[in-house]
Amino acid sequence: MKKFSFEILAEEDQTRLGRLETLHGTIETPAFVPVATQGTVKSLSGADLSTIGTQVLITNAYHLHLQPGEEIISRMGGLHRFMGWEGPIMMDSGGYQVFSLGMGKKYGGSKIHSPVSKLRDQDGQCGSKKGKSLVTVTEEGVDFTSYRDGSMHRFTPEYIVQTGRSLGVDMIMVLDECTSPLHNHRETEVSMERTHRWAIKALAEFYGHPSNGQSLFGIIQGGAYPDLREKSARFIARQPFHGFAIGGYLGQSKKEMSQVLQWTLPYLPQDKPRHFLGIGLVEDVFEMVSQGIDLFDCIAPTRLASTGTFFTRKGRRFRLRILNEAFKNDPRPVEADCGCYACRHHSRAYLRHLFLAREPLAPVLAGLHNLYFMESLMKEIREAIREGNFKSLREAWMATERSKIETPS
């Protein structure tokens, strides 16, 4: 049986080229991790993902727990067989989704980056406008109401580890309590310390049984407070986790997000992988890699694809909005040198037509292109790090974006 391992192959300043070995395959890092929230990447099959070079997926314990349930997946032979995906799988605990219930009713539609349980009262409850409790937080874990049928469920640190085992995923993220911009320093600290205690419980559960080649990642919290980020990083780094993830509220701007990394990464061991939760735009990828992040996941490529937005080197913010009138009679592919199926076989005019006609094929082709784009970008980044040219590559990409050659989105 393969054992989990991580090796750094080359470095350029803080930037790292690595190789991560898992039970279900090797991951070359830095790597982008497509999101398969409910056991699927939106609109795409496992064969599609293999064709474009996807290395690893991340799924969500919260959504799979509610539908179809981990018991069914386990009876079907585990998540890999259930999905028809042979490569490595990470599992997010679903902590963000659980705690989002606390503000989803009250603050739905607001622009808060991490809508979580600010409405929790002194008894640990948080609820809707009508006062009905949606999430109850205790030292043992969280009780929450299913958005599907109103049934009650409980997540504990131990249960999340057990779920990861039953699903057979390669990398398990521990249960953490997320915070929002509305949490002050003291509230964020209380939440962070609870996350730390839950981390210890998760470790005890994980190491109390044979690992079966699986691994456990600790999550660093602390909001946008430098002292708390350092405290959390130091604490989590001392624990026997196989890797680390950076989560929670990351500030109101890209500059603040970058600062969170600067407050956190110096305290993490060099020989273990680092995952950043929820990042997937081109400019953010370059920033994360430059600071030493090895893995990052985001729904942006497929979510933007559903709106007719294609990633491209030459567009404003590296995007092309295919519904733009300028592409109505455009015979060119989205990108001339792209090897994805959409660019090899279809014109911008045809892709625009599919979206206007609301054909189901439209988001499929857009999703294929966007994820192919991300995989190609990551290969280019890894090669640049190997050759010591990452800074030059980043500058070239940023210069291309500033030129805004294509019709802006």
Side-chain angles (χ1 to χ4, degrees), residues 294-314:
D294 305 298
L295 302 153
F296 31 84
D297 69 89
C298 191
I299 62 173
T302 48
R303 174 167 287 181
L304 288 172
S306 69
T307 69
T309 302
F310 289 73
F311 286 166
T312 175
R313 288 174 180 257
K314 298 180 180 180

Side-chain angles (χ1 to χ4, degrees), residues 116-183:
V116 288
S117 54
K118 174 64 178 178
L119 299 186
R120 192 171 61 247
D121 60 24
Q122 62 183 359
D123 296 320
Q125 293 188 343
C126 48
S128 68
K129 287 182 178 179
K130 296 181 180 180
K132 181 181 179 181
S133 176
L134 298 177
V135 181
T136 301
V137 184
T138 68
E139 190 63 24
E140 288 69 39
V142 290
D143 296 307
F144 61 93
T145 303
S146 168
Y147 71 92
R148 289 183 173 274
D149 59 11
S151 58
M152 291 300 298
H153 300 261
R154 167 169 287 189
F155 273 5
T156 67
E158 297 88 349
Y159 185 78
I160 291 299
V161 173
Q162 294 163 9
T163 297
R165 288 195 185 284
S166 68
L167 297 183
V169 300
D170 298 83
M171 293 162 275
I172 304 168
M173 300 283 180
V174 298
L175 179 65
D176 60 327
E177 182 178 0
C178 299
T179 54
S180 81
L182 301 182
H183 284 76

Side-chain angles (χ1 to χ4, degrees), residues 83 143 157 207 234 256 300 366 375 379:
M83 292 173 57
D143 296 307
Y207 285 108
R234 286 182 180 276
E256 291 180 358
E375 290 300 332
K379 289 178 183 177

Side-chain angles (χ1 to χ4, degrees), residues 342-359:
C343 288
R344 286 187 291 110
H345 294 277
H346 301 300
S347 66
R348 297 176 181 186
Y350 178 71
L351 294 170
R352 181 176 183 273
H353 154 70
L354 291 180
F355 274 97
L356 289 175
R358 299 185 178 181
E359 285 291 336

Side-chain angles (χ1 to χ4, degrees), residues 252-270:
Q252 297 281 6
S253 67
K254 294 182 184 296
K255 181 179 179 181
E256 291 180 358
M257 180 179 68
S258 180
Q259 287 178 329
V260 168
L261 286 181
Q262 295 169 23
W263 302 332
T264 303
L265 294 181
Y267 308 103
L268 299 184
Q270 293 292 316

